[in-house]
Amino acid sequence: MANPPAASLEPLVHRVRFGGSPEHKLNPAAFGLSPRTVIWDNSLCDCDAGFTPEMVQYVVSWMQRALLAGLVGELWEQGAPRYIWVVADDGWIYTARLTNAVQLEYHGYPELPGAPIAAPVYHRFKTWVESGHNKARHAAAMSRCAARYRLPR
């Protein structure tokens, strides 16, 4: 996980976009996506994490929160992080991967319990929440994340 200065991520907060991927859905049609063209050994948002079409409306706000918390991977030349790790309100961690750097669009997939990235994402998120961003929503997401991934609070 990269550690860029927060100031370098703030300009991205209001530009970030989400575009779902059929490759990470068991039932892409329920999300208005075309059928899967390739069957990978991917985690599936709707099957593995219980992600529903109604939850799509919250994804950008979760991505914005992740940017503010510095939950990003290496930066591309255009200044966009290749990865953003999102802690959803229900505690699931999603990896958002850059799909289109010009439009700052990402698609994502859930990290299953036991994933190596879960602990560093949780700890950075916890540090951010406890450093003055302790809104009830963020604190609840942090607590649910710790429980889901069996991490020490």
Side-chain angles (χ1 to χ4, degrees), residues 133-147:
H133 303 94
N134 199 4
K135 290 183 179 178
R137 179 175 157 234
H138 305 328
M142 179 185 74
S143 179
R144 291 178 185 124
C145 183

Side-chain angles (χ1 to χ4, degrees), residues 111-122:
E111 294 293 343
L112 301 177
I117 194 67
V121 167
Y122 167 75

Side-chain angles (χ1 to χ4, degrees), residues 29-129:
F31 294 85
L33 300 169
S34 58
R36 289 167 46 170
T37 56
V38 179
I39 305 298
W40 298 101
D41 188 18
N42 294 334
S43 57
L44 302 173
C45 298
D46 48 349
C47 179
D48 295 321
F51 187 81
T52 65
E54 294 76 27
M55 296 167 78
V56 170
Q57 65 185 316
Y58 302 108
V59 174
V60 169
S61 69
W62 297 338
M63 291 169 63
Q64 291 170 330
R65 175 171 67 190
L67 285 167
L68 293 171
L71 303 176
V72 298
E74 74 270 5
L75 297 179
W76 279 30
E77 290 179 27
Q78 299 92 340
R82 183 173 184 185
Y83 296 101
I84 302 173
W85 287 282
V86 173
V87 178
D89 287 343
D90 63 3
W92 275 99
I93 295 172
Y94 291 87
T95 295
R97 185 169 183 192
L98 188 62
T99 306
N100 182 320
V102 173
Q103 294 183 357
L104 205 60
E105 183 176 279
Y106 291 79
H107 76 278
Y109 48 89
E111 294 293 343
L112 301 177
I117 194 67
V121 167
Y122 167 75
H123 290 297
R124 184 169 293 177
F125 184 66
K126 179 180 181 206
T127 299
W128 179 78
V129 169

Side-chain angles (χ1 to χ4, degrees), residues 13-29:
V13 169
H14 296 292
R15 291 185 46 228
V16 71
R17 299 175 60 179
F18 172 71
S21 168
E23 307 310 323
H24 298 287
K25 308 287 184 293
L26 182 64
N27 184 7

